[in-house]
Amino acid sequence: MLAHHTLSILGIIMALVLGESGTEVNAVLFGSEITNPLLQMRWFLRETGHYHSFTGDVVDFLFVALFTGVRIGVGARLLFCEMVSPKPKGFVKVGGVAMYAVSWCFMFSIWRFAWKKSIKKYHAWRSRRREERQLKRHGHLKTR
């Protein structure tokens, strides 16, 4: 997180001092912060005790999908355009690669979180199904 914010600040300063690459810096900052409302929603749901609900699952899914689509997908396209363009200076390109690398570090962490959460939910679902079958088999669960 510190690397992300440091690179963002350095990118803004660089664009202001040089008077160029402002579009690229703004695009990167927009893509970096577009998932922030979902992060804040996760925090709010946790603080109010509503995170472990369908709403919490939807917010997590949207966060992972948006992060993957924007920061990794659109980010790759923006990085490619920056790298092939002769206009940005070399250190601007290095900054773009660094910011994209930070996004991938976040992405691995997010995917690991999503995988663990999915596996946990799957096991809970299987356990409930197994219990329901046991109850039906022994005649303790009404079928109507």
Side-chain angles (χ1 to χ4, degrees), residues 41-53 56:
M41 179 61 84
R42 288 181 77 232
W43 177 87
F44 180 74
L45 289 171
R46 256 185 225 278
E47 289 297 311
T48 59
H50 294 94
Y51 177 69
H52 298 289
S53 66

Side-chain angles (χ1 to χ4, degrees), residues 12-136:
I12 293 168
I13 291 170
M14 181 266 324
L16 290 171
V17 169
L18 293 179
E20 58 185 57
S21 296
T23 303
E24 293 91 341
V25 170
N26 279 322
V28 168
L29 291 176
F30 176 78
S32 295
E33 297 304 323
I34 197 165
T35 55
N36 197 32
L38 292 169
L39 280 177
Q40 299 309 315
M41 179 61 84
R42 288 181 77 232
W43 177 87
F44 180 74
L45 289 171
R46 256 185 225 278
E47 289 297 311
T48 59
H50 294 94
Y51 177 69
H52 298 289
S53 66
F54 179 71
T55 304
D57 292 342
V58 169
V59 169
D60 280 347
F61 174 79
L62 290 174
F63 172 75
V64 172
L66 193 60
F67 192 99
T68 303
V70 174
R71 299 241 340 226
I72 302 303
V74 175
R77 177 69 178 153
L78 289 174
L79 183 62
F80 173 78
C81 290
E82 181 181 46
M83 297 306 278
V84 299
S85 175
K87 186 164 169 111
K89 295 183 178 356
F91 58 88
V92 173
K93 292 180 181 190
V94 169
V97 170
M99 195 66 151
Y100 192 66
V102 168
S103 290
W104 268 104
C105 291
F106 285 151
M107 190 76 261
F108 287 128
S109 177
I110 290 166
W111 281 345
R112 189 172 49 243
F113 155 78
W115 177 256
K116 286 179 182 178
K117 184 174 181 177
S118 297
I119 291 298
K120 186 177 178 181
K121 288 206 169 270
Y122 172 72
H123 286 300
W125 174 78
R126 288 222 17 198
S127 178
R128 280 193 313 273
R129 297 273 297 167
R130 192 175 311 119
E131 288 173 10
E132 287 174 4
R133 275 191 246 122
Q134 289 289 350
L135 289 172
K136 276 184 180 180

